[in-house]
Amino acid sequence: MNDRIRKEEVELNAFREFAAACPLNLKVDTAENRKPPEPDIRCDTIGDGTIAFELVEADDETDDKAKPGKSIAYNSVVMKNHTLACAIERAFVQGVKDGEICNPERFFYHSITIRFKDTATKKTCSRAISDILSTLNQHGTGSHSLKKSQVVSILCEPFPTQGAYKGPMFHVNSNYCPVGIAVVPRIRDKIKKTYETTLPIHLVVWTYSHAAGIVGLWQKEFSNLIDSEGSGPFECIWVFSRNSNEVILTWSHPSKT
């Protein structure tokens, strides 16, 4: 899988999670990746037309001794987890098509979190996908463990609230990512860019960082940025925590409120 396809798959996965948590009436099944110079994703709404979304993650690698303080789009742990989550989702969808997953509606509006052993490699994790799907098919929702496997646990639990996206949503080891705060620097980078679209554009900044979830640590810096440099092409800016599955900050241009 080339880098472009992988990036698009990760972005669509993040957007679906955001759509399930945000108050917008999004028709998530219409969400589609777009190529630059358009924003990353466009999606129809119920009653408010189509919106273009630019996505960016806000996680930094903070423990690289060779390059301290270096900002990167994905550290290796985060990227491995995203890739695995997308691979499991693809296998699940194919299993439903092939009739190998019985009563798939059992998993509608559910989040499925798979925790692998810390020592598991990407290859051994990939080999365990069939065992994961077999366990889900046999036991359904709830908490499960696999003996003699690289999988520590599988937790299938309902969404906090039911939105437009039925799911299921797959997550891998999301609580074990060594990341820090980079919310405002990512927004600063994005507001300087231009995009080719006639649609209203929203910026979605997503993070796994627990520290980023403490909005008070960076909210003043964010407000100062907007006051001094504006919001660029964006009508709305959303900051979404994938750890807590909630929108932790929403900003709308005054002319749109």
Side-chain angles (χ1 to χ4, degrees), residues 16-104:
R16 288 170 177 166
E17 292 184 25
F18 162 75
C22 82
L24 297 173
N25 293 318
L26 295 168
K27 299 172 67 175
V28 186
D29 291 341
T30 69
E32 62 177 9
N33 296 106
R34 309 295 290 181
K35 291 181 172 56
E38 289 189 56
D40 294 319
I41 286 175
R42 62 186 298 173
C43 184
D44 295 340
T45 69
I46 300 173
D48 292 315
T50 303
I51 300 174
F53 293 87
E54 179 70 5
L55 271 68
V56 63
E57 57 79 37
D59 296 334
D60 280 341
E61 187 172 40
T62 59
D63 59 354
D64 186 343
K65 295 180 181 179
K67 299 176 181 179
K70 179 178 173 58
S71 295
I72 59 172
Y74 295 98
N75 65 39
S76 59
V77 176
V78 172
M79 195 65 246
K80 183 183 83 169
N81 291 347
H82 281 314
T83 302
L84 279 168
C86 291
I88 296 168
E89 180 179 353
R90 286 198 307 274
F92 179 89
V93 170
Q94 189 61 49
V96 172
K97 289 181 179 178
D98 295 342
E100 296 173 356
I101 304 293
C102 303
N103 303 320

Side-chain angles (χ1 to χ4, degrees), residues 76-198:
S76 59
V77 176
V78 172
M79 195 65 246
K80 183 183 83 169
N81 291 347
H82 281 314
T83 302
L84 279 168
C86 291
I88 296 168
E89 180 179 353
R90 286 198 307 274
F92 179 89
V93 170
Q94 189 61 49
V96 172
K97 289 181 179 178
D98 295 342
E100 296 173 356
I101 304 293
C102 303
N103 303 320
E105 62 275 7
R106 291 179 292 170
F107 305 104
F108 286 173
Y109 303 108
H110 276 71
S111 175
I112 301 176
T113 302
I114 298 97
R115 182 186 170 197
F116 289 93
K117 293 180 180 178
D118 293 339
T119 56
T121 65
K122 182 178 177 181
K123 182 177 291 186
T124 57
C125 290
S126 297
R127 289 173 180 168
I129 291 177
S130 60
D131 291 335
I132 293 167
L133 297 184
S134 177
T135 299
L136 287 170
N137 189 44
Q138 182 177 356
H139 299 290
T141 60
S143 179
H144 315 296
S145 61
L146 277 69
K147 295 180 179 180
K148 299 180 180 180
S149 171
Q150 294 297 314
V151 180
V152 175
S153 63
I154 302 172
L155 178 62
C156 183
E157 55 186 352
F159 294 168
T161 58
Q162 290 189 8
Y165 182 59
K166 291 182 179 179
M169 291 181 183
F170 290 88
H171 310 269
V172 173
N173 290 358
S174 60
N175 292 331
Y176 296 89
C177 301
V179 293
I181 307 174
V183 173
V184 177
R186 294 292 191 268
I187 295 173
R188 180 178 290 110
D189 289 343
K190 289 296 182 180
I191 63 177
K192 295 176 182 178
K193 297 187 176 182
T194 58
Y195 303 91
E196 291 185 8
T197 182
T198 59

